[in-house]
Amino acid sequence: MSSDKIRLGVAGLGRAFAMMIPAVRHHPRIALVAGADPRAAARARFERDFSCPTYSDVDAMCADEQVEAVYVSTPHQFHAANVLAAAARGKHVLVEKPMALALADCQAMIAAAHAAGVRLVVGHSHSFDAPIRRAREIIASGAVGPLRMITAVNYTDFLYRPRRPEELLTECGGGVLFNQAPHHVDVVRFLGGGRVRSVRALTANWDARRATEGAYCALLAFEDGAMASLTYSGYAHFDSDELCGWIAESGLPKDPERYGAARRALKDVASPQAERDLKEERNYGGARYEASSGNDATRLHQHFGLLVASCAQADLRPLPQGVMIYGDETRRLDIVPPPILPREDVLAEFCDAVRDGRKAVHDGEWALANMEVCLAMLESARSGRDVVLRHQIDIGG
């Protein structure tokens, strides 16, 4: 294992980067060397926090010879161009989900990385969560028989968090199909082995003021006969964290008495620009930004709502504490020790790929297959038909 630190530049100093800061700051194989963002306040904060140079333009940062790898956490519609710019300069790339907004863009990103001889890893997504990985280990061991069905349900306030205008436009990567479905799809493909045969889905837009998809139901048929149902609502009524002991998606405790906070915060927002300003205030570099050290003693594992994987001899339910195993006559909790830092496993997989030459599970081909399913969900909802898939791969394939 190489001990040389990867010299990382960050493209996009927004929420995704803020969630990754504790892992980036403390990971023994990462050295932060540059950042890029069009917002002057974010660049100034980054320079204070990390004593690194910043750029207003991602291409300029990619030209910095000190930058060896780029973490792309820009808005979704820029992922493809940013990855292509990094690969063209010979930089390894870790890009946030969704990989891109079209399969052709995903394919171009993969081709660019291969041509440049650099590694491309896509994450964060929730199959990095240790309880999900433990559930996969149990399934793959054969101890509970073959997987038959996955039920995955998540209800959140996603659509009522402060948004930039383009985050409410599907064509710009807005709505739950590009923001939340990649998590759901990634998890069920990870547990199911990867190869989805077909997709049938319905989507919903129930609020004309938030004119993008806010909910979906999807049925995925795997090539081996297993099936998965995915249900998501971001309309800020029922909160499925109630089913996870009031542990939030972040792995931290949630106060149930703050019910309705997201909708209340938007009540007095008078315009799209005012909503954008509200988001920027809370974002990295904003006046109301609250930094997290990441080493909160109450932290458990991240999760993405209720999930039950039904196997021939047991049902498995990943939880923030581990995996509940419901057998024929007994049930038990397989405890997974809490993480040291949130999202540390994302950086670990990236470092293993870049420094040690290991094949990443969440590589470009895997992420393209995830996006094929998400785009098929949109297509199925619009056409009213099943969509047969053509770019699926085995896990680790």
Side-chain angles (χ1 to χ4, degrees), residues 231-388:
T231 299
Y232 186 94
S233 171
Y235 282 102
H237 290 131
F238 176 64
D239 184 346
S240 53
D241 288 341
E242 182 176 340
L243 305 177
C244 295
W246 289 114
I247 300 299
E249 181 180 348
S250 65
L252 293 172
K254 175 184 281 189
D255 181 2
E257 297 306 313
R258 296 193 70 248
Y259 178 85
R263 283 178 176 266
R264 285 194 297 273
L266 286 183
K267 270 188 176 180
D268 298 325
V269 175
S271 67
Q273 182 60 49
E275 183 173 349
R276 182 189 186 110
D277 292 344
L278 179 61
K279 175 166 185 169
E280 296 303 331
E281 286 178 5
R282 298 177 180 179
N283 214 342
Y284 183 80
R288 298 169 64 184
Y289 169 69
E290 296 181 3
S292 170
S293 65
N295 57 356
D296 193 304
T298 63
R299 184 181 298 278
L300 296 172
H301 292 285
Q302 297 185 10
H303 70 87
F304 201 66
L306 170 70
L307 184 142
V308 179
S310 298
C311 302
Q313 297 164 20
D315 286 351
L316 308 178
R317 183 185 172 192
L319 293 168
Q321 302 87 350
V323 180
M324 280 296 301
I325 304 173
Y326 301 86
D328 290 342
E329 298 181 1
T330 61
R331 63 174 186 166
R332 66 181 179 88
L333 175 62
D334 186 346
I335 295 174
V336 179
I340 298 173
L341 292 168
R343 305 192 178 185
E344 60 184 337
D345 292 327
V346 179
L347 294 182
E349 183 170 313
F350 184 59
C351 292
D352 287 346
V354 171
R355 280 288 179 263
D356 304 331
R358 297 185 190 175
K359 179 172 172 42
V361 172
H362 302 85
D363 61 10
E365 287 81 0
W366 177 264
L368 181 149
N370 284 341
M371 289 313 303
E372 183 186 27
V373 176
C374 295
L375 292 167
M377 290 165 63
L378 274 171
E379 181 183 345
S380 176
R382 291 166 179 169
S383 69
R385 298 177 180 177
D386 289 4
V387 176
V388 177

Side-chain angles (χ1 to χ4, degrees), residues 86-167:
R89 295 282 187 172
K91 317 296 184 182
H92 303 285
V93 186
L94 171 64
V95 58
E96 277 285 334
K97 64 82 195 162
M99 183 179 182
L101 306 185
L103 289 186
D105 287 336
C106 295
Q107 291 165 333
M109 294 156 76
I110 293 168
H114 286 327
V118 298
R119 297 289 184 161
L120 174 61
V121 175
V122 183
H124 167 258
S125 52
H126 277 289
S127 72
F128 283 98
D129 298 347
I132 296 295
R133 290 188 285 112
R134 178 60 184 140
R136 172 61 194 169
E137 291 172 359
I138 294 170
I139 293 168
S141 75
V144 293
L147 178 70
R148 302 292 174 80
M149 179 175 73
I150 301 172
T151 303
V153 176
N154 204 5
Y155 283 71
T156 76
D157 61 4
F158 175 83
L159 209 62
Y160 295 91
R161 300 167 195 168
R163 299 292 174 197
R164 299 185 306 274
E166 67 269 23
E167 291 182 280

